[in-house]
Amino acid sequence: MSKPELATQGCLGFAPIVCEPQVVVRDFYHPRPQPVIHPVEIVNRHHFVPVPQHYYTVTERNVAVPPLPTVPISSLPAGVSPFPTGPAGGAISPFRK
């Protein structure tokens, strides 16, 4: 005879009592990609700042100078040079100021 048959015949004791099942919940988590979009706006600001640039214009002109009066060297007193001299005794250049 098998055990279930013995249990129903009362040979092994009382008949079993079957209780309400206990619920055991096991949670499983499976990762799935979830897109999260973060928009970024880039604003390129261009500032124009005046920077001085100096330009020089050059003009050139020619001026005619009347000639110096000529004096014959022979008419100069003795010891006087026909060329003008400066304070140090050197000749004065007509190109110096």
Side-chain angles (χ1 to χ4, degrees), residues 1-16:
M1 213 186 260
S2 68
K3 289 186 179 181
E5 291 174 357
L6 290 176
T8 55
Q9 293 176 358
C11 298
L12 298 175
F14 298 103

Side-chain angles (χ1 to χ4, degrees), residues 4-89:
E5 291 174 357
L6 290 176
T8 55
Q9 293 176 358
C11 298
L12 298 175
F14 298 103
I17 299 173
V18 179
C19 297
E20 288 291 320
Q22 292 184 4
V23 177
V24 176
V25 176
R26 298 190 319 168
D27 291 325
F28 295 91
Y29 297 93
H30 302 279
R32 288 179 53 184
Q34 172 66 52
V36 178
I37 300 171
H38 299 273
V40 174
E41 180 180 355
I42 297 175
V43 176
N44 295 319
R45 297 178 357 164
H46 299 269
H47 302 275
F48 297 96
V49 180
V51 177
Q53 290 185 341
H54 300 277
Y55 297 95
Y56 297 94
T57 59
V58 177
T59 57
E60 182 176 338
R61 61 187 172 138
N62 296 314
V63 177
V65 178
L68 294 174
T70 57
V71 177
I73 296 178
S74 60
S75 65
L76 291 176
V80 175
S81 171
F83 304 105
T85 57

